[in-house]
Amino acid sequence: MQADELLLLVAGGDQRAFEDLYALVSGSVFGLVRRVVRDPAQSEEVAQEVLLEVWRSAARFDPGRGSALSWILTLAHRRAVDRVRSARAAGEREQREALRAGEPAFDQVAEEVEAGMEREWVRRCLRRLTDLQRQSVTLAYYDGYTYREVAERLALPLGTVKTRMRDGLTRLRECLGGAA
């Protein structure tokens, strides 16, 4: 059964039709919301709110104005944008209040401290690499060179650089795993 037919049945209170409609559109709803909201947990929450709204307001769907899927995705987009605007407004209110109080926002301070700790942890882990691994990783990830460009700068075969990069990144991942 198509979404249009299912939504018309849902408008009549058919729970089974809603289950089928949910299975049919929930992935699309979540995907759209996730692209707008970005945060996975918030996206799940917004998607559930949208699907609950579909159940409650299915009678408002007018097949003459478009497809059920476009109607549902329009609801999802509007709800996602509302969530982003609400979060942005809340953040701006917090910043204004912090400025009034003459203090930096708590989140700003916490983020700066956390970023500093992460940088130090990465530095420690980089020091554990061999010189060639550290040079290769630094040139590629901090200076933006391609593997081929790293090989040219270090006057080494491309395969050697790729191997050193892979080994270095593996060691970094193992070292940084302890930071989490």
Side-chain angles (χ1 to χ4, degrees), residues 32-146:
L32 176 95
V33 170
R34 179 76 197 271
R35 282 191 298 277
V36 175
V37 175
R38 300 240 164 97
D39 177 72
Q42 293 253 349
S43 297
E44 287 177 15
E45 187 176 311
V46 171
Q48 289 301 316
E49 290 171 5
V50 167
L51 291 163
L52 184 59
E53 184 177 347
V54 167
W55 170 254
R56 290 179 178 159
S57 62
R60 290 192 338 227
F61 169 65
D62 179 4
R65 297 185 68 197
S67 72
L69 184 59
S70 65
W71 182 76
I72 293 168
L73 293 178
T74 299
L75 292 176
H77 186 262
R78 287 178 184 160
R79 182 67 61 106
V81 168
D82 286 348
R83 177 64 63 100
V84 170
R85 286 180 180 156
S86 175
R88 186 177 300 138
E92 290 170 0
R93 276 192 305 275
E94 289 175 12
Q95 282 186 325
R96 281 193 306 271
E97 189 58 38
L99 288 174
R100 262 189 231 126
E103 302 171 1
F106 173 75
D107 289 341
Q108 179 183 351
V109 172
E111 287 178 25
E112 288 175 14
V113 169
E114 188 174 326
M117 291 170 57
E118 288 174 358
R119 280 192 298 274
E120 181 55 35
W121 194 273
V122 169
R123 282 190 204 106
R124 270 191 220 132
C125 290
L126 279 170
R127 285 193 294 265
R128 293 182 181 180
L129 301 181
T130 67
D131 287 340
L132 184 54
Q133 288 171 340
R134 185 174 35 263
Q135 285 177 312
S136 300
V137 169
T138 301
L139 286 170
Y141 287 91
Y142 291 104
D143 297 337
Y145 291 105
T146 65

